Amino acid sequence: MRVIRVGTRKSQLARIQTESVVAMLKALNPGLQFEIIAMTTTGDKILDTALSKIGEKSLFTKELEHALKMNVVDLVVHSLKDLPTVLPPGLTIGAICKRENPCDAVVFHSKFVGKTLETLPERSVVGTSSLRRAAQLQRKYPHLEFKSIRGNLNTRLQKLDEQQFSAIILAAAGLQRMGWQHRVGQILHPDECMYAVGQGALGVEVRAKDQGILDLVGALHDPETLLCCMAERAFLRHLEGGCSVPVAVHTAIKDGQLYLTGGVWSLDGADSMQETMQATIHGPAQHEEGPEDDPQLVGITARNIPRVAQLAAENLGISLANLLLHKGAKNILDIARQLNDAH
């Protein structure tokens, strides 16, 4: 019996996410065996520096991708938001699973349970590892101080409980997967804080030419999540954003239309720009002649989703990025990048 080797990070959340993907694959392929191989990544090792300062885009993926390239593992499960919009040559995202709640969540210290960010006392310290969150929330809640917090979910919650912070902000999906929904004190809806590209979705990375594994994982694609994340990734890639600049999105599909809202912020949140565009994604399925040389769009291979819908999603992301760039977003992002590098 063939054993499929699955790579993951060592954190508890990464293991839970990987086990959920393996469970779905086992249900579809009861005759296969799976072995999970856990590894430590650069982002797991460097815990005393803000993510935006490390200057490396593939912080949580590089070692896993190396194992994939060297044939040590057959597929890797990632939080999609950790995957850069340009992947190493020879690799592709072969599946994007159904998205959990993509929003951010606030966890409060026990003495502030029942509060919201708005009602926290003056100069309360809120921990987040994300420039995107800090930029949006600083603008809305000038009475709060936002400070960098690093480490996996367990470590961050421990720092909160040890009274280093009044509250911390985390992805709602991660807390849900860990079974820690009871810790959530406030969900930040997109009108308050738009989320990161790909947040809440899991991506399965594979070798682009490994057709057997591509076919195996391709069954996990969730069409709506895929099209939303394709538009988001195209938007981010065209803006040339990464974790060193505040870029955020919000997507929704309704009545065959994909709506994408995207925004950019200065580091302090004082300058910002956001726009919304939409595209039709439910056109007639076209007959596609044979496999193309490079079926990837923004690093994703999805042969079981109509190509016309994928192209519409990608073009929507590019169009929205162009609109913001035309209105002056590049200046906001360049200054944010320079300030982040200088501090």
Side-chain angles (χ1 to χ4, degrees):
M1 188 186 285
R2 181 171 176 200
V3 177
I4 308 293
R5 302 154 304 164
V6 184
T8 179
R9 287 166 64 196
K10 282 185 174 172
S11 77
Q12 188 185 353
L13 176 60
R15 293 292 299 241
I16 287 170
Q17 292 178 166
T18 301
E19 283 160 10
S20 74
V21 169
V22 167
M24 288 190 278
L25 289 172
K26 271 184 180 166
L28 293 170
N29 306 275
L32 288 178
Q33 277 195 318
F34 294 85
E35 178 191 358
I36 294 175
I37 299 170
M39 300 170 213
T40 304
T41 67
T42 306
D44 297 315
K45 291 176 196 157
I46 306 173
L47 293 176
D48 56 351
T49 309
L51 288 176
S52 56
K53 301 282 186 208
I54 302 172
E56 164 73 66
K57 279 191 175 170
S58 47
L59 280 176
F60 296 110
T61 59
K62 197 154 107 182
E63 288 78 3
L64 293 161
E65 288 173 333
H66 181 69
L68 197 51
K69 280 184 160 180
M70 300 308 290
N71 215 356
V72 175
V73 295
D74 300 301
L75 56 108
V76 176
V77 178
H78 302 278
S79 291
L80 187 62
K81 69 174 181 176
D82 290 340
L83 272 171
T85 52
V86 179
L87 299 184
L91 301 182
T92 187
I93 299 166
I96 294 180
C97 306
K98 187 171 175 59
R99 193 177 215 167
E100 299 256 2
N101 184 349
C103 295
D104 292 314
V106 189
V107 180
F108 293 93
H109 186 271
S110 55
K111 67 182 179 188
F112 295 120
V113 166
K115 296 270 189 197
T116 62
L117 290 180
E118 194 166 358
T119 58
L120 275 177
E122 193 83 20
R123 304 192 70 75
S124 292
V125 177
V126 178
T128 173
S129 61
S130 155
L131 294 179
R132 167 190 62 80
R133 291 170 182 148
Q136 292 181 80
L137 294 171
Q138 244 167 349
R139 181 176 178 151
K140 274 197 159 37
Y141 306 110
H143 70 293
L144 301 177
E145 281 185 41
F146 292 87
K147 290 202 172 160
S148 176
I149 182 172
R150 290 289 321 282
N152 60 36
L153 283 189
N154 309 58
T155 306
R156 292 189 207 189
L157 285 170
Q158 188 181 341
K159 288 179 178 176
L160 173 69
D161 294 337
E162 288 168 355
Q163 294 205 326
Q164 295 180 36
F165 299 89
S166 301
I168 58 174
I169 303 170
L170 303 163
L175 289 161
Q176 177 118 21
R177 290 179 186 128
M178 294 285 274
W180 292 344
Q181 300 93 315
H182 63 284
R183 295 292 310 255
V184 175
Q186 182 180 1
I187 293 283
L188 299 175
H189 294 286
D191 54 355
E192 201 169 359
C193 185
M194 289 202 293
Y195 43 83
V197 165
Q199 185 160 304
L202 299 180
V204 183
E205 192 174 16
V206 301
R207 289 180 290 277
K209 303 286 186 203
D210 192 339
Q211 197 55 52
I213 295 290
L214 265 171
D215 290 343
L216 176 75
V217 303
L220 301 183
H221 271 308
D222 177 70
E224 289 209 350
T225 302
L226 172 101
L227 294 171
C228 285
C229 291
M230 212 165 234
E232 293 171 18
R233 285 172 65 82
F235 172 70
L236 182 66
R237 180 155 86 177
H238 206 68
L239 278 181
E240 295 181 5
C243 63
S244 62
V245 288
V247 173
V249 292
H250 169 48
T251 43
I253 292 179
K254 192 178 176 190
D255 301 329
Q257 297 288 308
L258 171 55
Y259 296 85
L260 171 64
T261 303
V264 300
W265 286 261
S266 59
L267 289 190
D268 62 1
D271 280 338
S272 75
M273 187 178 290
Q274 64 185 68
E275 292 288 347
T276 302
M277 292 180 81
Q278 69 191 81
T280 302
I281 49 161
H282 286 179
Q286 294 172 343
H287 179 68
E288 289 162 27
E289 294 289 339
E292 295 155 52
D293 287 342
D294 183 13
Q296 290 193 40
L297 292 179
V298 284
I300 303 163
T301 301
R303 289 204 171 99
N304 51 347
I305 310 290
R307 182 81 174 167
V308 63
Q310 294 184 53
L311 287 168
E314 184 189 46
N315 288 335
L316 176 62
I318 293 168
S319 299
L320 184 62
N322 280 332
L323 176 61
L324 287 182
L325 290 169
H326 178 69
K327 291 189 159 194
K330 188 174 188 313
N331 192 41
I332 294 175
L333 291 173
D334 285 347
I335 292 169
R337 212 172 264 119
Q338 287 160 12
L339 283 173
N340 182 54
D341 292 344
H343 279 61

